[in-house]
Amino acid sequence: MDNYIDLRSDTITQPTQSMRDAMYNAEVGDDILGDDPTVKKLEKMSADILGKEDALFTTSGTLANQIAVMTFTNRGEEVIIGDTSHIYNLEVGALAALSQVQTRPINVENGYYDIEKMESLIRNKGIQNAKTGLICIENTNNLNAGFVVPIDNINAVCELGKKHHIPVYMDGARIFNAAVALDVEVKDIVKNVDAVMFALTKGLCAPFGAILAGDKEFIEKARWIKQRLGGGFRQAGFLAAPAIVAIKEMIPRLKEDNKNAKILGEKLSAIEGLDVNVDNIHTSILTGSVKKLPITIDEFLDRLKENKIKAKRISDDSFRMVTHLGIEENEIERVVKVVKETINNI
């Protein structure tokens, strides 16, 4: 390891020793033929924890998202989607390239979907109109904020979908961070969405994969599309085994990540000239801005890196930090000290 304090993302986490042991000892089989017992165990466990009928193990959250859209939609349909969402911004145009759908983006203010505005984006039937085929929501919301979407707001979106006979899909990459923040079971958050994905490789610290879940008919079709896209596995149990450990062991500790982000944000917000809105820290992600300081964002981040601290540039004047396994109180104090010294020495 390079001894950096790396706050760019929770995807940089390393698998725990128990995950490594599980990989080594995993029982495997040909998953395409339905013969891998460890993958089957992971999928059953994931479906149960989400309160869904069935689940599918995929290589990544991006693949799970794209499989979901391809399962729900037909070419030429429209998808209503948050304008700050991962699926809209960071999946290489896959909605257009793979599913051949077009997007109707909606602004999501601080993780809250405006139902009236969303309904206005649903297309009326007409000879010149595309059909609205899917509503995509995200929780936590906003790839550089991690906002928790209120459960009643999610349910309102789902009611709107039912009213217009449009399925609702949730990109829940960090859904367990939201569940911990709300102190509820994750199934209570996703009970009314038609399908949901969560990442295994972020706060849960597994080295591989994501889970897509929904009813049996949805997953049956999704499994077929996964194979079409080249996502089928053979002896994948050694990849599923650490994911099982992650679900069993890592969910409760997400509370620590959320808490540490708040602590870090509060300490950074007290530094004169640095703009950090503590109220916007819902989970393990915080953002800050140097727009009030006589330093560019690149200079600021370079100086942090010189002191073995990594943060992610997200705009011309702002950065993101994400807390995760391995970020403890002493790391937080070190980050605050370096940021303060950097600003004082401008």
Side-chain angles (χ1 to χ4, degrees):
M1 300 298 291
D2 55 14
N3 296 318
Y4 277 83
I5 300 174
D6 196 337
L7 296 164
R8 291 172 298 169
S9 177
D10 44 4
T11 59
I12 61 90
T13 51
Q14 295 287 308
T16 63
Q17 187 59 51
S18 57
M19 292 180 192
R20 295 171 188 267
D21 292 341
M23 293 173 73
Y24 183 82
N25 296 301
E27 185 180 0
V28 301
D30 191 322
D31 181 54
I32 290 176
L33 300 179
D35 291 342
D36 193 300
T38 308
V39 172
K40 290 166 75 173
K41 180 179 179 181
L42 171 62
E43 291 176 343
K44 175 66 165 59
M45 175 188 295
S46 300
D48 289 346
I49 200 169
L50 293 168
K52 299 301 181 185
E53 289 182 357
D54 205 354
L56 179 65
F57 183 38
T58 72
T59 59
S60 68
T62 294
L63 181 60
N65 283 339
Q66 297 306 321
I67 290 171
V69 174
M70 294 181 79
T71 303
F72 278 127
T73 63
N74 297 303
R75 290 184 299 169
E77 291 183 345
E78 285 194 342
V79 176
I80 296 174
I81 196 162
D83 62 356
T84 57
S85 65
H86 190 283
I87 193 171
Y88 181 61
N89 290 281
L90 292 179
E91 299 191 4
V92 206
L95 293 173
L98 298 179
S99 294
Q100 298 181 38
V101 294
Q102 62 185 18
T103 54
R104 294 274 279 178
I106 182 172
N107 178 253
V108 187
E109 189 72 27
N110 294 334
Y112 193 86
Y113 291 88
D114 184 326
I115 303 302
E116 185 176 338
K117 174 63 175 176
M118 183 176 281
E119 187 164 28
S120 74
L121 297 179
I122 296 173
R123 291 283 203 163
N124 295 321
K125 289 183 179 180
I127 191 67
Q128 293 180 305
N129 289 350
K131 176 186 176 183
T132 303
L134 182 65
I135 297 171
C136 287
I137 60 176
E138 185 181 62
N139 194 15
T140 60
N141 175 258
N142 188 320
L143 54 100
N144 291 317
F147 293 125
V148 175
V149 182
I151 294 176
D152 60 351
N153 188 226
I154 295 168
N155 292 339
V157 173
C158 294
E159 289 172 9
L160 178 66
K162 287 183 175 62
K163 175 182 175 182
H164 292 275
H165 308 289
I166 301 169
V168 175
Y169 170 66
M170 178 186 288
D171 176 347
R174 294 184 175 94
I175 190 64
F176 290 101
N177 288 86
V180 167
L182 293 173
D183 194 23
V184 299
E185 296 289 333
V186 71
K187 65 179 62 177
D188 295 331
I189 298 176
V190 305
K191 65 181 180 180
N192 290 320
V193 299
D194 294 284
V196 58
M197 177 277 286
F198 71 86
L200 292 156
T201 54
K202 294 183 177 176
L204 298 184
C205 307
F208 181 88
I211 293 292
L212 178 63
D215 63 30
K216 287 188 178 298
E217 182 180 1
F218 169 82
I219 293 298
E220 182 179 7
K221 184 177 179 182
R223 194 177 299 277
W224 179 69
I225 290 174
K226 173 190 167 186
Q227 183 68 22
R228 169 185 281 175
L229 295 174
F233 300 132
R234 295 301 182 182
Q235 290 73 26
F238 73 95
L239 297 171
I244 292 172
V245 175
I247 292 171
K248 286 182 175 179
E249 297 183 1
M250 304 307 290
I251 293 172
R253 65 156 305 283
L254 292 174
K255 186 174 184 179
E256 181 180 345
D257 293 344
N258 290 356
K259 180 190 73 174
N260 284 339
K262 197 81 168 181
I263 292 171
L264 178 57
E266 288 171 348
K267 289 179 180 291
L268 292 178
S269 70
I271 299 174
E272 187 174 357
L274 192 66
D275 188 5
V276 176
N277 187 341
V278 178
D279 291 337
N280 283 343
I281 305 172
H282 291 191
T283 51
S284 60
I285 302 174
L286 68 90
T287 59
S289 173
V290 298
K291 62 184 177 182
K292 298 177 183 176
L293 297 168
I295 189 172
T296 68
I297 187 62
D298 292 324
E299 290 170 339
F300 176 74
L301 294 178
D302 284 345
R303 293 190 191 185
L304 295 190
K305 192 173 181 181
E306 289 170 4
N307 288 278
K308 292 190 173 297
I309 294 168
K310 294 180 181 180
K312 180 181 178 181
R313 183 187 191 277
I314 58 173
S315 80
D316 290 342
D317 60 28
S318 58
F319 62 91
R320 181 184 84 168
M321 293 180 173
V322 185
T323 51
H324 49 77
L325 180 68
I327 302 300
E328 307 292 346
E329 185 175 350
N330 60 317
E331 280 82 19
I332 291 173
E333 294 301 329
R334 170 70 179 158
V335 171
V336 173
K337 180 175 183 292
V338 169
V339 171
K340 189 176 295 185
E341 289 174 352
T342 298
I343 290 174
N344 289 341
N345 291 328
I346 295 174

